[in-house]
Structures are given as structure tokens and as C-alpha cells.
């Protein structure tokens, strides 16, 4: 399915987060087209660099990117780029960040400390962002104020909870990012 001829504007958004946080799932959940996925089976060679603590059942990992599309109107389409979460893909992440208007940062409350490197990259690139706590089954739930403090979030940074497997929940997280981008743009004008 191609983009409609009436589409006049496209927006590039990143879906970012640490290893095994649900980026591929969220892109697939929201995409109106069959998403492009560059997942490969994990091997013993990756064992020293891919920390499987907290996600022992993970068997595949993104090695380049995920790509999905979401048409918002006859004139506007969103392109969603899911980035790999491992540090060894930092240069690829930086390439994907070029031209992006903002990022949705997925975090996992079981491994919040793994979010810092990704959030540093987002901030270093000057990308406005929203944070979405991906609600994994059995993951601890903390009050918003505690998550904000743990991640050292600016008060204006949106923080929402989502389930990357659920379309409505994922859409609400994406809407939080888009609303933030609009507000940030208005402030800059």
C-alpha cells in the first residue's frame, strides 16, 4: 500500500529505548503497513554484549531498524523508525536520528538504569521526547513522581504508561509525543 497522492507532509519519529524494551513491538502495533523489521536470531557470539537479565526468553534482536507508517490524514503521514537498543549500534542510531522531529523513549521499570544512555543520546541530538513506561507483565509499578525522579526528567517532559502490544495504548503514547512536539514548536515560535 503506497502513500496517498494527497499526502503533502511526512514526519519522521524515532521509537527508542534500551535493549528488549518493546520498540519492535510498538512499531508493529501502530504501523498500518507490514513493518520492515531487521531482526536476527540471537547467538552465543552476542552473549557477552546482550544482557538478557530480566528478559531470558528473548531470542531475536533488531540489528538495524524497524520501520512503520501511520497515515494521520489525507495530507499527513508519520514514519516510525525503531532504533536498536544496544550501544554497539550507536552510529546507526545517530544516522536514524537525522531529520527526526522527536523521539518516543520506551522504558522498563525493571531496568530503568539501562535507559540513561539512550536518553543521553536523545538529549545530545536535541530531540524533543516523551517517555513511555512499557507495562510488562509482572513489572513493578511506581508512582509517576518516582519514575520522573529516577529518570531525572524535566517537568515538561511527558511521561505516560503504555502496553506496546495494545494499539490504543501505543497510540496514546505516540499522541503524548506529538502533543509535546506541537507545544515545543509553539514555544519556539
Amino acid at each position: 500500500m503506497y502513500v496517498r497522492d494527497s499526502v503533502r507532509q511526512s514526519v519522521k519519529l524515532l521509537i527508542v529505548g534500551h535493549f528488549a524494551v518493546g520498540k519492535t513491538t510498538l512499531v508493529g502495533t501502530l504501523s498500518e503497513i507490514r513493518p520492515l523489521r531487521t531482526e536476527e536470531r540471537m547467538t552465543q557470539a552476542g552473549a557477552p554484549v546482550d544482557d538478557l537479565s530480566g528478559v531470558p526468553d528473548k531470542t531475536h534482536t533488531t540489528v538495524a531498524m524497524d520501520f512503520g507508517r501511520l497515515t494521520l490524514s489525507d495530507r499527513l503521514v508519520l514514519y516510525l523508525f525503531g532504533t536498536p537498543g544496544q550501544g554497539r549500534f550507536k552510529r546507526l542510531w545517530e544516522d536514524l536520528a537525522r531529520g527526526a522531529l522527536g523521539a518516543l523513549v520506551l522504558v522498563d521499570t525493571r531496568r530503568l538504569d539501562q535507559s540513561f544512555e539512550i536518553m543521553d543520546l536523545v538529549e545530545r541530538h536535541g530531540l524533543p521526547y516523551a517517555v513511555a513506561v512499557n507495562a510488562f507483565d509482572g513489572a513493578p509499578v511506581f508512582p509517576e513522581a518516582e519514575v520522573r525522579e529516577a529518570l531525572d526528567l524535566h517537568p515538561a517532559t511527558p511521561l505516560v504508561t503504555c502496553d506496546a502490544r495494545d494499539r490504543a495504548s501505543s497510540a496514546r503514547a505516540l499522541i503524548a509525543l506529538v502533543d509535546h512536539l506541537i507545544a515545543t514548536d509553539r514555544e519556539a515560535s
Side-chain angles (χ1 to χ4, degrees):
M1 180 167 69
Y2 296 101
V3 175
R4 297 177 190 139
D5 290 337
S6 60
V7 170
R8 297 291 175 249
Q9 187 168 7
S10 61
V11 174
K12 179 180 182 181
L13 299 175
L14 297 183
I15 309 300
V16 303
H18 59 75
F19 174 69
V21 75
K23 301 172 300 288
T24 297
T25 301
L26 188 128
V27 170
T29 297
L30 288 174
S31 183
E32 68 193 16
I33 60 172
R34 188 170 137 221
L36 168 68
R37 292 189 170 135
T38 59
E39 285 197 309
E40 292 295 331
R41 179 169 289 286
M42 297 177 68
T43 65
Q44 281 302 112
V49 292
D50 293 331
D51 181 6
L52 291 174
S53 55
V55 287
D57 297 331
K58 185 160 179 68
T59 59
H60 289 77
T61 188
T62 300
V63 296
M65 68 174 182
D66 298 305
F67 173 78
R69 186 183 77 209
L70 185 59
T71 302
L72 294 186
S73 71
D74 288 339
R75 302 179 61 84
L76 177 63
V77 66
L78 298 181
Y79 292 118
L80 307 174
F81 288 82
T83 64
Q86 299 98 314
R88 68 181 183 271
F89 295 113
K90 181 179 172 187
R91 292 195 42 109
L92 176 61
W93 190 101
E94 290 172 341
D95 287 342
L96 288 171
R98 286 191 186 97
L101 288 186
L104 180 62
V105 180
L106 286 180
V107 300
D108 178 349
T109 58
R110 299 170 298 181
R111 301 175 289 141
L112 282 178
D113 60 316
Q114 294 181 19
S115 302
F116 299 135
E117 183 178 356
I118 297 297
M119 292 177 72
D120 285 345
L121 278 171
V122 170
E123 290 174 357
R124 212 171 315 134
H125 282 79
L127 290 172
Y129 64 95
V131 175
V133 175
N134 192 5
F136 286 93
D137 296 335
V141 177
F142 299 102
E144 180 179 323
E146 287 183 29
V147 175
R148 281 188 170 285
E149 183 178 341
L151 294 174
D152 193 26
L153 293 181
H154 184 277
T157 301
L159 175 62
V160 298
T161 299
C162 77
D163 180 338
R165 301 166 295 186
D166 179 74
R167 186 170 178 83
S169 176
S170 296
R172 283 190 298 275
L174 194 61
I175 289 167
L177 170 61
V178 171
D179 285 346
H180 182 60
L181 293 174
I182 291 168
T184 302
D185 186 57
R186 285 185 182 141
E187 290 172 11
S189 298

